[in-house]
Amino acid sequence: MQLRDLSIENRRYALNIKADMTDDNRLEVLKTNDYNATIKGIHALLVSEPNFFLVNEDFLNTALEVSTIYNDRYARDRLNELKELSDTEIEKRARSYIESEYLKRKFVFTYLDYLELLELDDLLLRETNYHYLLDNPYILHSISYLKKEFSDYYSTNRKADNYLLTILNILEKRGYYDTEAVVSINSILELFPNREEEKIITFAKKI
C-alpha cells in the first residue's frame, strides 16, 4: 500500500507526523499534539511508508516512545520489528525509501533539504499564508508532489486547489525561474486543467 491509497484524512495525518519529525524537539511536539491525530498519523505511515521511520534513528525512537506512552500495541509492535532489523537492512530500506522520494520529488536532495520539504508539504496542505512560503527554494517540488499524492483532494476541493494555483501565478508574475525544466512552473501548471477558470486567493499583505 502507498500513501496515495489511504483516505485523504489519513494522508493528512501522515504528512503532519512527517513534518513534526523535522523538529529537534519532535518527541515533545508529538506528545502535545492531538492524541488521535498522532496515533492515526503513525498508523498511516506504518501501513504505507514504514521505511520513513528508518531514515533517521530518532524518527523511529520517537514514534516508538510515543506509542509506548499511549499504550498503542499495534504501533509499538510494528516499530519494534523495524528496530530489530539489522543495520545493513535498515540502511538498505532507508536508501530505497529516499530513492523513491527522489522520483516523487523529481530531484536529488540532501537530508536537510528533505526536512525542509516535509515541513513545506504540511504548511502548503494547511494553506498557510503563502507570503511566508514564496521564497522557499523547494516550493515547486512540493506543490507538484502534493498535486499528485492528493490528486483526489485537490480535484474536489476548489479552494485548496486555488490556493496552490495562486502561489504559482504569483511566482510566474515575479518571473520565478528554475533551471530544472522538469519542475518549471509551466510543467506544474499543466496539473491544473481548470486554471483559466480559477480565481486568485489573496491575503491581506500585498503581493
Side-chain angles (χ1 to χ4, degrees):
M1 178 177 287
Q2 299 183 39
L3 185 65
R4 67 182 62 180
D5 297 322
L6 303 178
S7 68
I8 293 172
E9 179 184 45
N10 284 337
R11 268 175 278 168
R12 293 182 69 109
Y13 287 140
L15 257 64
N16 184 239
I17 291 296
K18 287 184 177 184
D20 288 342
M21 287 295 184
T22 68
D23 196 296
D24 289 338
N25 297 313
R26 53 185 66 89
L27 177 59
E28 293 306 312
V29 171
L30 289 177
K31 285 166 59 179
T32 56
N33 283 351
D34 176 76
Y35 162 80
N36 287 323
T38 297
I39 293 302
K40 286 181 179 179
I42 292 174
H43 283 204
L45 286 173
L46 283 171
V47 299
S48 63
E49 298 183 351
N51 291 336
F52 166 78
F53 293 108
L54 302 179
V55 171
N56 182 328
E57 185 178 6
D58 284 345
F59 293 175
L60 179 57
N61 289 337
T62 298
L64 185 55
E65 187 163 352
V66 168
S67 67
T68 300
I69 291 172
Y70 290 151
N71 196 29
D72 187 291
R73 184 173 179 178
Y74 169 79
R76 189 175 65 245
D77 289 350
R78 290 292 306 278
L79 291 164
N80 270 320
E81 288 175 6
L82 292 174
K83 194 172 181 65
E84 290 169 3
L85 294 172
S86 67
D87 290 345
T88 301
E89 184 65 17
I90 288 175
E91 182 179 351
K92 177 183 175 182
R93 293 194 186 190
R95 184 171 61 252
S96 175
Y97 177 78
I98 288 298
E99 288 174 351
S100 71
E101 287 286 278
Y102 290 159
L103 294 175
K104 290 180 181 179
R105 307 282 181 171
K106 294 188 176 180
F107 83 115
V108 176
F109 44 77
T110 67
Y111 174 70
L112 292 180
D113 292 335
Y114 189 50
L115 295 184
E116 191 165 351
L117 277 163
L118 296 180
E119 185 177 12
L120 181 58
D121 291 342
D122 189 55
L123 292 173
L124 288 171
L125 196 56
R126 292 173 182 272
E127 297 177 45
T128 303
N129 189 324
Y130 53 68
H131 296 295
Y132 302 108
L133 310 177
L134 293 173
D135 293 328
N136 190 294
Y138 311 114
I139 195 163
L140 294 184
H141 296 283
S142 193
I143 289 176
S144 176
Y145 171 80
L146 290 177
K147 279 288 288 184
K148 293 173 182 176
E149 293 298 305
F150 287 82
S151 58
D152 51 345
Y153 171 67
Y154 287 109
S155 67
T156 57
N157 190 323
R158 192 74 172 267
K159 178 177 175 292
D161 204 53
N162 284 354
Y163 167 80
L164 295 182
L165 183 58
T166 295
I167 293 174
L168 292 176
N169 285 333
I170 292 172
L171 292 175
E172 187 176 40
K173 181 179 178 181
R174 291 183 175 183
Y176 184 92
Y177 177 75
D178 194 305
T179 55
E180 296 183 57
V182 73
V183 290
S184 68
I185 288 180
N186 287 337
S187 67
I188 298 177
L189 282 171
E190 292 177 359
L191 300 174
F192 296 80
N194 300 316
R195 59 184 179 275
E196 300 301 329
E197 304 171 10
E198 307 291 10
K199 295 181 179 179
I200 298 291
I201 296 175
T202 58
F203 291 95
K205 185 176 178 181
K206 294 181 180 179
I207 63 176

